[in-house]
């Protein structure tokens, strides 16, 4: 799974589950908590989605705002959790 | 007590208000006062009154006039210091026919004009009609316990306790005001004078409005919350002295509310400190049986039974409980919204609607509650959050300062990663704006404003073309000199307390079942005293309601004094999306209903509804909905209900025959024929 792929999935999930609008504007670096798109319980919804979709497992210590606060941060963080791919495509950003 | 309404011709309009129309108006609010009805009419004005008899049952009928029948009043509420005012007025030569507080108002207005209102200690909404000078005076109590709405249209002024009485006149247009909804989706309430309805004004709490014969009007604000601008060191009382003084003022306020009634007064018991103390003082004020009432929840997370029963046992009250389920909440919600007449973001009013019905069925017409203590004495988390954020803002890089949030919310300390990082990110927002007026409330307003993402594009442009008033643009001049706590208290009082807690969750839920609420913490002298206290007597470090806990020692069980504050909540979104939810929910959130109202983007609203239904279909009992989704479902549903009940309909319950006990009609048939 590539950074862009994760990014697209997260985009779709946020649009469908938090914005309820497929065409909503959502910047890759926009703070999800800061702009109010997702609240603190919503982040937990997002985390379960990531665990299921990207087949990753988060430790308690992973669950800090800095790892999940924008689509770019999420995608980059997921890359560090995935086993290294053949083409090393997790080494993004 | 009571509901009031009326019509006054201003300027050139000549035909007198019709009796039929006035009767329709009083019929619309008959739940506020089913004991007796009264009407006064002359060629320019009509006043109607629905009475809930609490004081001077035999002779307190309204409308009521001065000695020569030139000054008429309709009045909803209580003036608790009427006995003392009456002595003052008798000393000035005034003579009284009745033993009611209503007559005291008429004489006080004759003696002191608009200067009478600041002398009143009470909760009121009233209209005075001077039939000689053709002047109409409207007034509301300091904090807005009793509601009053006004509409000007085509040379007439309508006023009423509830909007539905104005809508009883089919000539009054009914339309949602986008500004009122935009404010509600920021502050949890519209800000008076704006309401949910275009052209309908809410009279500002603590104000007087005068309409003169030529149709001109002017508003006078006689009271706003005010806090010290002097250094805390200048406060004259020690903590012990202040504790004693507060105890005495609260006892007096409670005694007045127990004894100034010719019917028994009961009390609510929530299980918290405020209502426990109020009930204890109420019990002490009067001999005999003392009725107390509590809400219990089937959902354990909201239930406070243990503490309610402990207090009831302490004061040996005749205690009644009502168990409320999610199903009950969903079932009564449309009727709840017919009474709130505005959207709400939580279901918390619904159990209170059911509780007041129990009170009424048990034969009680008035209850004490602890409402106001949290605002006057700094009980809410929002005040403590503001203090921590203020402290943190001075060293934004500090890792230690935000740890104070763990003292506020112990669960943060227990869950190292998950909640904490997210929560801190939430509170970090706006940290650089610590000196600005809305600092304390910015996180709440920002979260609530996310609901606006559901607005349809047309509705959004309607909001943008007439931007609604901002609470921060109308602050008292001395606001900037107040400390952090006082600023936060002011904002909390003028938004959530006035517009939601004592209205949607207070007056409306009580009066729906003809029960009057009486609030010792909102007594004029208690409020003045609390507002004058230095901040650290109210919030000592992070210890909330510090001085009140000292007052409560020995009066309330220790386990109630020291329990962590539990906000009153009820099951929200889950009530409407779980299996077996009432069919109206699907109807009112259907694509066609959403499109017809035009307020919300149908696809977005349906998306939220579907998401919540799906979540509710998951694990059986403990479904976690995010705060945004809870507010979203309740806010959208209640807005749709407001639209369907008040824009498509007029919000008036069918039936209800009105027979007047008092009827003064100065418009004779001959006169009417003369004008035609």
């Amino acid at each position: 799974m590539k950074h862009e792929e994760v990014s697209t999935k997260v985009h779709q999930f946020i649009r469908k589950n938090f914005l309820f609008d497929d065409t909503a504007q959502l910047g890759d670096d926009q703070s999800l908590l800061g702009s109010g798109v997702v609240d603190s319980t919503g982040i937990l919804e997002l985390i379960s989605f990531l665990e299921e979709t990207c087949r990753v497992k988060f430790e308690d210590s992973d669950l800090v705002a800095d790892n999940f606060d924008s689509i770019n941060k999420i995608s980059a963080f997921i890359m560090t959790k995935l086993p290294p791919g053949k083409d090393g495509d997790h080494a993004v950003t | 007590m009571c509901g009031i309404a009326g019509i006054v011709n201003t300027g050139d309009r000549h035909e007198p208000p019709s009796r039929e129309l006035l009767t329709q108006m009083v019929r619309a609010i008959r739940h506020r006062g089913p004991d007796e009805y009264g009407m006064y009419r002359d060629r320019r004005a009509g006043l109607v009154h629905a009475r809930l008899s609490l004081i001077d049952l035999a002779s307190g009928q309204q409308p009521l006039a001065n000695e020569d029948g030139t000054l008429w009043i309709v009045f909803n509420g209580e003036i608790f210091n009427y006995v003392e005012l009456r002595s003052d007025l008798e000393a000035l030569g005034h003579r009284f026919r009745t033993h009611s507080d209503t007559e005291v108002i008429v004489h006080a207005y004759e003696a002191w004009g608009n200067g009478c209102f600041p002398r009143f200690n009470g909760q009121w909404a009233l209209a005075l009609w001077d039939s000689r000078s053709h002047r109409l005076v409207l007034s509301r109590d300091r904090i807005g316990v009793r509601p009053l709405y006004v509409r000007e249209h085509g040379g007439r002024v309508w006023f009423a306790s509830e909007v539905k009485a104005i809508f009883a006149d089919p000539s009054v247009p009914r339309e949602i005001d986008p500004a009122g909804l935009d404010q509600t989706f920021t502050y949890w309430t519209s800000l008076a004078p704006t309401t949910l309805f275009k052209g309908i004004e809410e009279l500002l709490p603590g104000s007087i409005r005068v309409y003169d014969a030529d149709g001109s009007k002017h508003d006078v604000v006689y009271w706003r919350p005010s806090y010290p601008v002097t250094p805390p060191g200048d406060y004259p009382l020690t903590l012990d002295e202040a504790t004693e003084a507060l105890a005495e003022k609260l006892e007096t306020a409670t005694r007045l509310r127990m004894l100034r009634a010719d019917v028994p007064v009961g009390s609510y018991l929530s299980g918290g400190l405020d209502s426990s103390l109020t009930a204890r003082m109420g019990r002490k004020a009067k001999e005999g049986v003392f009725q107390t009432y509590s809400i219990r929840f089937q959902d354990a997370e909201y239930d406070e039974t243990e503490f309610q029963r402990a207090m009831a046992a302490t004061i040996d009250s005749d205690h009644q409980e009502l168990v409320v389920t999610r199903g009950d909440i969903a079932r009564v919600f449309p009727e709840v919204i017919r009474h709130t007449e505005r959207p709400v973001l939580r279901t918390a009013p619904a159990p209170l609607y059911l509780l007041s019905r129990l009170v009424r069925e048990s034969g009680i017409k008035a209850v004490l509650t602890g409402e106001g203590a949290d605002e006057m004495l700094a009980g809410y988390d929002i005040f403590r959050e503001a203090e921590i954020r203020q402290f943190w803002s001075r060293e934004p890089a500090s890792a230690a300062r935000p740890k104070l949030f763990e003292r506020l919310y112990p669960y943060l300390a227990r869950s190292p990663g998950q909640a904490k990082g997210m929560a801190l990110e939430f509170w970090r927002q706006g940290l650089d704006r610590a000196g600005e007026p809305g600092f304390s409330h910015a996180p709440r307003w920002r979260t609530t404003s996310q609901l606006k993402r559901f607005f349809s594009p047309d509705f959004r442009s309607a909001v943008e073309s007439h931007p609604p008033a901002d609470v921060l643009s109308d602050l008292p001049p001395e606001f900037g000199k107040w400390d952090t706590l006082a600023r936060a208290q002011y904002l909390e009082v003028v938004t959530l307390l006035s517009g939601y807690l004592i209205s949607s969750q207070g007056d409306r839920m009580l009066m729906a079942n003809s029960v009057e609420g009486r609030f010792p913490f909102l007594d004029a002298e208690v409020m003045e005293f609390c507002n004058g206290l230095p901040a650290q007597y109210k919030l000592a470090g992070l210890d909330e309601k510090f001085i009140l806990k000292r007052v409560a020692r020995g009066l309330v069980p220790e386990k109630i004094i020291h329990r962590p504050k539990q906000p009153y909540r009820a099951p929200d979104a889950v009530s409407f999306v779980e299996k077996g939810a009432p069919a109206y929910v699907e109807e009112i959130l259907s694509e066609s209903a959403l499109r017809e109202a035009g307020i919300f983007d149908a696809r977005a609203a349906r998306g939220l509804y579907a998401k919540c239904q799906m979540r509710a279909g998951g694990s059986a009992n403990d479904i976690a909905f995010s705060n945004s989704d809870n507010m979203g479902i309740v806010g959208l549903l209640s807005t749709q209900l407001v639209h369907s009940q008040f824009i498509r309909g007029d919000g008036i319950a069918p039936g209800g025959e009105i027979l007047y006990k008092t009827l003064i009609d100065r418009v004779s048939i001959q006169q009417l024929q003369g004008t035609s």
Side-chain angles (χ1 to χ4, degrees):
Chain A
M1 193 177 271
K2 290 188 197 309
H3 183 279
E4 292 72 28
E5 217 177 310
V6 176
S7 172
T8 307
K9 282 185 189 298
V10 175
H11 260 285
Q12 283 168 350
F13 180 76
I14 290 176
R15 287 213 178 91
K16 182 163 185 295
N17 272 271
F18 300 110
L19 299 173
F20 308 102
D21 179 356
D22 303 335
T23 58
Q25 292 291 311
L26 186 63
D28 286 340
D29 291 312
Q30 185 179 338
S31 163
L32 298 175
L33 286 157
S35 61
V37 169
V38 180
D39 67 10
S40 53
T41 314
I43 284 279
L44 302 182
E45 289 173 32
L46 179 61
I47 287 168
S48 341
F49 164 79
L50 293 171
E51 287 187 330
E52 282 165 32
T53 311
C54 305
R55 298 177 187 285
V56 289
K57 192 76 202 141
F58 297 115
E59 304 299 323
D60 257 5
S61 57
D62 294 336
L63 301 174
V64 293
D66 210 39
N67 292 335
F68 295 95
D69 195 35
S70 71
I71 290 177
N72 265 344
K73 282 180 181 171
I74 292 168
S75 310
F77 185 61
I78 295 290
M79 289 300 109
T80 69
K81 302 298 284 184
L82 290 171
K86 272 178 250 166
D87 51 4
D89 63 13
H90 68 285
V92 199
T93 65
Chain B
M1 51 176 173
C2 320
I4 62 171
I7 300 175
V8 170
N9 289 342
T10 56
D12 298 333
R13 188 151 173 178
H14 292 303
E15 81 279 15
S18 87
R19 273 167 73 149
E20 291 67 33
L21 187 50
L22 290 164
T23 302
Q24 289 306 313
M25 291 179 81
V26 77
R27 191 177 73 86
I29 50 171
R30 62 190 184 275
H31 50 273
R32 297 185 70 91
D35 295 341
E36 287 169 1
Y37 302 101
M39 179 196 290
Y40 164 86
R41 186 170 78 128
D42 64 27
R43 299 194 51 76
R44 287 184 75 107
L47 314 176
V48 279
H49 185 258
R51 184 180 188 208
L52 181 66
S53 317
L54 297 169
I55 292 182
D56 190 5
L57 310 189
S59 62
Q61 282 85 20
Q62 298 185 41
L64 180 148
N66 60 353
E67 292 99 324
D68 64 5
T70 53
L71 182 64
W72 288 87
I73 186 172
V74 280
F75 160 54
N76 164 213
E78 309 293 340
I79 307 299
F80 293 115
N81 61 338
Y82 75 100
V83 175
E84 294 75 11
L85 288 168
R86 181 179 167 131
S87 310
D88 296 348
L89 289 161
E90 281 172 339
L92 292 173
H94 290 263
R95 294 289 163 261
F96 290 82
R97 293 192 308 277
T98 74
H99 299 284
S100 67
D101 50 349
T102 315
E103 194 181 7
V104 171
I105 301 172
V106 174
H107 289 273
Y109 180 74
E110 285 187 313
W112 301 309
N114 284 347
C116 71
F117 300 111
R119 293 175 185 249
F120 297 163
N121 183 356
Q123 47 191 41
W124 71 87
L126 62 85
L128 284 155
W129 169 243
D130 186 332
S131 63
R132 278 178 310 187
S133 65
H134 296 163
R135 170 180 284 184
L136 174 70
V137 179
L138 304 171
S139 166
R140 249 182 122 189
D141 64 75
R142 288 168 180 76
I143 206 102
V145 172
R146 296 294 162 232
L148 191 55
Y149 296 89
V150 188
R151 166 84 204 191
E152 301 165 12
H153 183 62
R156 277 194 159 168
V157 174
W158 289 252
F159 64 86
S161 299
E162 298 185 16
V163 176
K164 53 179 74 70
I166 299 175
F167 286 165
D169 185 340
S171 77
V172 174
R174 303 195 299 268
E175 201 182 334
I176 296 283
D177 185 343
L181 190 60
D182 190 77
Q183 289 175 337
T184 306
F185 281 8
T186 308
Y187 307 113
W188 287 51
T189 171
S190 50
L191 302 173
T194 303
T195 68
L196 242 289
F197 305 106
K198 218 174 251 180
I200 304 267
E201 287 181 274
E202 178 186 338
L203 195 73
L204 207 63
S207 83
I208 306 158
R209 172 170 290 185
V210 180
Y211 287 96
D212 277 310
D214 60 0
S216 66
K217 67 172 171 188
H218 65 276
D219 289 316
V220 181
V221 175
Y222 69 88
W223 192 88
R224 283 176 117 177
S226 175
Y227 304 86
V229 292
T230 47
D234 290 1
Y235 189 69
L237 304 182
T238 64
L239 180 58
D240 282 340
E241 289 164 351
T243 305
E244 205 175 305
L246 176 59
E248 203 180 296
K249 288 192 184 298
L250 272 174
E251 284 202 15
T252 305
T254 311
R255 197 166 53 239
L256 284 175
R257 283 158 180 78
M258 285 299 295
L259 301 181
R260 301 264 154 106
D262 296 322
V263 296
V265 179
S267 182
Y268 279 0
L269 276 182
S270 72
L273 172 64
D274 314 332
S275 63
S276 298
L277 184 59
T278 303
R280 176 67 191 242
M281 290 181 168
R283 177 55 154 154
K284 193 178 153 195
K286 202 171 177 179
E287 292 287 310
V289 180
F290 187 57
Q291 309 269 4
T292 52
Y293 304 89
S294 291
I295 296 168
R296 298 177 56 201
F297 286 105
Q298 218 173 33
D299 292 72
E301 98 181 83
Y302 306 109
D303 190 63
E304 301 180 63
T305 307
E306 176 195 347
F307 302 99
Q308 296 160 352
R309 288 184 180 167
M311 196 62 222
T314 304
I315 58 174
D316 188 28
S317 59
D318 180 359
H319 187 58
Q320 295 193 53
E321 298 171 341
L322 180 74
V323 180
V324 177
T325 67
R326 297 168 182 177
D328 295 332
I329 290 172
R331 188 169 42 77
V332 300
F333 199 64
E335 189 59 10
V336 165
I337 298 303
R338 197 177 71 77
H339 284 286
T340 62
E341 301 186 319
R342 50 170 90 183
V344 292
L345 305 180
R346 292 224 172 122
T347 60
L352 288 161
Y353 169 81
L354 291 164
L355 189 64
S356 69
R357 191 160 74 192
L358 172 71
V359 172
R360 184 67 194 193
E361 282 166 2
S362 72
I364 295 289
K365 287 182 180 179
V367 287
L368 305 175
T369 90
E371 210 62 79
D374 287 317
E375 292 81 1
M376 298 305 140
L377 293 163
Y380 290 130
D381 287 340
I382 198 165
F383 301 129
R384 304 198 285 171
E385 284 173 12
E387 294 290 333
I388 298 175
R389 289 174 63 243
Q390 179 82 31
F391 178 63
W392 185 12
S393 74
R394 283 183 238 131
E395 288 289 343
S398 163
R401 294 187 178 212
K403 280 197 191 306
L404 284 168
F405 281 112
E406 292 172 20
R407 285 193 38 207
L408 203 55
Y409 303 114
Y411 69 84
L412 288 181
R414 289 195 302 272
S415 52
Q418 277 195 342
K420 189 158 69 181
M422 312 305 167
L424 291 186
E425 195 56 40
F426 174 77
W427 286 308
R428 185 195 295 278
Q429 302 297 319
L431 212 55
D432 52 334
R433 292 193 290 276
E436 293 176 20
F439 178 71
S440 57
H441 283 63
R444 180 199 288 165
W445 295 342
R446 194 178 63 237
T447 307
T448 310
S449 292
Q450 293 304 316
L451 292 174
K452 297 174 200 174
R453 73 166 70 122
F454 292 104
F455 285 166
S456 70
D458 286 352
F459 195 81
R460 190 173 293 130
S461 25
V463 171
E464 282 160 7
S465 63
H466 293 95
D470 180 330
V471 70
L472 300 177
S473 63
D474 182 33
L475 296 171
E478 63 280 16
F479 186 92
K481 296 185 194 145
W482 298 338
D483 59 35
T484 305
L485 177 62
R487 292 182 194 191
Q489 284 184 279
Y490 175 88
L491 293 173
E492 190 67 6
V493 166
V494 300
T495 57
L496 208 70
L497 179 66
S498 285
Y500 172 74
L501 288 171
I502 57 175
S503 173
S504 296
Q505 209 170 286
D507 173 86
R508 300 314 186 82
M509 293 305 101
L510 287 153
M511 290 308 258
N513 291 302
S514 319
V515 178
E516 176 180 282
R518 295 182 166 195
F519 315 102
F521 286 99
L522 298 177
D523 177 272
E525 292 195 17
V526 170
M527 290 198 292
E528 222 52 71
F529 181 80
C530 292
N531 290 352
L533 288 168
Q536 67 270 24
Y537 286 11
K538 299 185 247 190
L539 192 57
L542 292 178
D543 194 357
E544 84 284 1
K545 286 187 289 197
F546 182 65
I547 190 169
L548 192 65
K549 290 175 184 167
R550 294 171 60 97
V551 170
R553 277 185 198 161
L555 298 174
V556 170
E558 287 289 309
K559 71 171 179 182
I560 293 178
I561 298 180
H562 297 297
R563 66 183 289 222
K565 177 162 175 57
Q566 174 160 347
Y568 163 66
R569 293 277 310 261
D572 285 310
V574 66
S575 310
F576 305 107
V577 295
E578 67 179 1
K579 205 160 167 274
Y584 78 82
V585 180
E586 173 62 42
E587 278 164 37
I588 208 134
L589 292 178
S590 69
E591 188 153 343
S592 58
L594 287 159
R595 285 194 200 287
E596 190 201 325
I599 300 166
F600 300 116
D601 181 276
R603 197 173 46 167
R606 295 287 301 166
L608 171 68
Y609 181 47
K611 173 186 172 183
C612 290
Q613 277 183 313
M614 203 178 74
R615 288 186 80 81
S619 61
N621 223 351
D622 187 27
I623 309 146
F625 288 94
S626 71
N627 185 36
S628 312
D629 292 350
N630 268 323
M631 283 199 296
I633 287 288
V634 180
L636 265 53
L637 187 63
S638 56
T639 305
Q640 286 288 106
L641 284 166
V642 167
H643 185 272
S644 110
Q645 301 192 93
F646 293 96
I647 306 303
R648 291 174 57 199
D650 58 13
I652 301 169
E657 193 190 0
I658 302 296
L659 295 172
Y660 288 105
K661 170 115 179 179
T662 304
L663 181 57
I664 300 109
D665 193 345
R666 293 183 169 171
V667 184
S668 68
I669 303 296
Q670 289 81 354
Q671 276 179 314
L672 267 182
Q673 284 166 343
T675 60
S676 60

